[in-house]
Amino acid sequence: MKINSMVYFGVEKMKLSHIFGLLLGIVIQGGAQVSIAADTAAVHVTGSVVNTTCKIGGGTNQNVPMPTLDAKDFSGVGSKAGVTDFNILLTGCPTQFARVGVSFDSCGTGATLVGGRCSDINNVTKLHLELRKANDDVITIGDAFSGDYFALAADGSAALPYKAAYYLPEAVAMAGTFKSVVNVNFHYEE
């Protein structure tokens, strides 16, 4: 008996006997499973790489003058004194971004990260640097994102409000010159 029907498979015409042979081959090869492709989707990732960064106070560094205190201004372990308001003054930030995020990633050369604070480089006073947000929340230096996001002006500038304080991790503060450094990184957001 001859079968004259045609079956459409894809774009080419195949005789039913060819399809039967193809299916039989699949069964003979160990019962391989035939799967039908499901709908697919794609994830498109976009981003920006900038060749510039914000300038701090017109350069790459900014000084924050702290008050002169008496060692007796500290009441013992964990006490804080000399809270000083300051702004990180940014200029020249990439203007294609609307906001800048700040992170205080590490202590600078000579200072040691201890409990989220930076030590006195001179190690004379026994004091550490503690940073705070404008609302007085303590910033843990060394966290991946320890600051906030701030709006950038159209010219790429911003004044980011923070506070610095002396922190005493020991029983007694010592007289001497205090100096500490914290590294700042910027993160941009459109």
Side-chain angles (χ1 to χ4, degrees):
M1 174 173 173
K2 188 173 180 183
I3 300 176
N4 289 325
S5 355
M6 300 294 278
V7 176
Y8 288 90
F9 187 77
V11 211
E12 296 182 33
K13 292 182 179 179
M14 297 179 78
K15 289 190 174 180
L16 190 55
S17 60
H18 291 140
I19 293 174
F20 179 76
L22 178 64
L23 292 174
L24 183 60
I26 290 172
V27 172
I28 291 173
Q29 291 179 6
Q33 294 180 340
V34 178
S35 63
I36 298 173
D39 289 338
T40 59
V43 175
H44 297 271
V45 179
T46 60
S48 296
V49 176
V50 295
N51 205 17
T52 59
T53 188
C54 299
K55 295 194 182 346
I56 300 175
T60 56
N61 296 314
Q62 180 173 333
N63 293 321
V64 177
M66 298 291 286
T68 300
L69 299 178
D70 190 306
K72 292 183 274 182
D73 291 337
F74 297 90
S75 59
V77 176
S79 61
K80 300 164 192 159
V83 176
T84 303
D85 292 330
F86 71 97
N87 287 315
I88 297 176
L89 302 174
L90 301 181
T91 59
C93 297
T95 56
Q96 70 264 36
F97 299 107
R99 297 179 354 135
V100 61
V102 180
S103 63
F104 301 93
D105 292 341
S106 61
C107 299
T109 304
T112 303
L113 181 63
V114 180
R117 297 173 184 90
C118 293
S119 69
D120 178 358
I121 290 173
N122 301 322
N123 202 26
V124 173
T125 63
K126 306 298 182 195
L127 297 172
H128 290 181
L129 168 67
E130 178 177 274
L131 293 181
R132 298 179 186 183
K133 297 179 181 182
N135 66 2
D136 276 327
D137 286 348
V138 174
I139 294 170
T140 303
I141 298 169
D143 274 358
F145 184 76
S146 50
D148 284 318
Y149 272 95
F150 298 91
L152 287 170
D155 67 353
S157 66
L160 317 180
Y162 287 101
K163 297 178 181 186
Y166 297 116
Y167 173 84
L168 180 61
E170 299 183 16
V172 178
M174 305 297 290
T177 301
F178 177 85
K179 182 178 180 182
S180 193
V181 180
V182 63
N183 295 320
V184 181
N185 283 320
F186 302 111
H187 315 274
Y188 304 107
E189 187 175 270
E190 293 180 333

